[in-house]
Amino acid sequence: MTTATLTKTEPAGAVLPRRRRGDGRVALAFLAPVLIGFAAFYVYPAVRGAWYSLTDWNLLSEPGFVGLDNYAELVRDPLFWNSLKVTAYYVVLTVGMQIVVGLGLAALMHRLTRSLVLRSLLVVPWLVPNVTSALLWMWLLDANLGFLNHLLVSLGLDNQGFLTSPDLAMPSVAAINAWGATGYTTLLLYAGMLLVPRQIYEAAALDGTGEVRQFFRITLPLLRPILAFVLVVSLIDSFQLFDAVAVTTKGGPVDATRVVYYYIYEEAFTHFKMGYASALALSLVLILGLLTFVQMRLLRASRSDLA
């Protein structure tokens, strides 16, 4: 770099910082705990899981290498494809509930109130452990003793088997999990709305644009990066549904709530087919990676109209 170039890019008298000897070792020392934890709890289990997916292992004997037989069985397994279909149905229901209700609540908070107490109350269901939440709602939705059915009967309506009917079981499980996650989703969307300059809304109001049109013409387009993040996180979290199903329906009735995660658990710890369960888990990881990539590309998550 020439002296002339330096005078154009750096102010007079500026001193460029020099990299001191040993800086790399100090940085590595600070990063070492995170790198060790990542390798021990993520990389190593992933590699072992990939190896087990190529074996026949029942947890009691030594794993026997079978190559791609587990993946061939997976392709022919109707229960796996049914669990994928059930999981997709659940994802559409719960993510749809979270986004729609979350957007509505965030818009109301943005326009009407910015109360810290209200924001704290919204996040309370998200802080409740999933098992506790599932137990609570299982009692509330019980066909005989549940409060909600008592309320329906008092209104002259029939009892509903929210968790025992093949038609109602999955929407009920989706509503339980949406109840727990919507508050967190609302806060993320609300934070995104706060990033939009108020001058844009004021200019739109001067032009005669109403509140509803401002939401669809201004708020939603400018929220695209936040919406992309919420969709990706919600989708990954929804595909990992296990505890609510294990507590409330155990995959029933008639496989109506047997999602992929619960099916993997059954194959591993009920049927002791650990190699096949590992193949199922690895296939789920690949499916989630593909869906995340497609979402990020379609939603253009790395671009913002505010720039």
Side-chain angles (χ1 to χ4, degrees), residues 89 93 97 134 136-153 155 157-176 244-245 248-253 256-257:
Y89 178 44
L93 288 176
M97 291 180 196
L136 173 66
W137 281 101
M138 183 178 66
W139 295 329
L140 289 173
L141 298 176
D142 186 85
N144 299 314
L145 304 175
F147 171 77
L148 192 55
N149 269 309
H150 277 288
L151 182 61
L152 292 176
V153 171
L155 295 175
L157 302 174
D158 295 331
N159 274 19
Q160 299 294 324
F162 291 104
L163 297 173
T164 56
S165 167
D167 296 327
L168 295 177
M170 183 50 76
S172 299
V173 172
I176 291 172
V245 169
T248 57
T249 63
K250 294 179 172 56
T257 60

Side-chain angles (χ1 to χ4, degrees), residues 9-26:
T9 57
E10 299 293 336
V15 178
L16 296 177
R18 294 181 179 180
R19 180 179 176 181
R20 292 179 297 180
R21 185 175 301 175
D23 282 356
R25 289 193 294 270
V26 173

Side-chain angles (χ1 to χ4, degrees), residues 110-111 194-207 214 218 222 306:
H110 186 243
R111 288 299 186 181
L194 292 178
L195 296 176
V196 181
R198 296 200 63 84
Q199 294 88 338
I200 299 178
Y201 292 110
E202 293 171 357
L206 290 175
D207 289 339
Q214 286 183 31
I218 299 174
L222 297 181
L306 283 173

Side-chain angles (χ1 to χ4, degrees), residues 89-141:
Y89 178 44
Y90 165 79
V91 169
V92 171
L93 288 176
T94 189
V95 174
M97 291 180 196
Q98 291 180 47
I99 297 298
V100 173
V101 177
L103 274 174
L105 291 175
L108 288 174
M109 290 171 57
H110 186 243
R111 288 299 186 181
L112 301 179
T113 179
R114 299 189 179 184
S115 169
L116 181 60
V117 175
L118 180 59
R119 279 179 275 172
S120 302
L121 291 175
L122 280 174
V123 82
V124 168
W126 182 68
L127 296 176
V128 177
N130 291 335
V131 173
T132 304
S133 175
L135 284 171
L136 173 66
W137 281 101
M138 183 178 66
W139 295 329
L140 289 173
L141 298 176

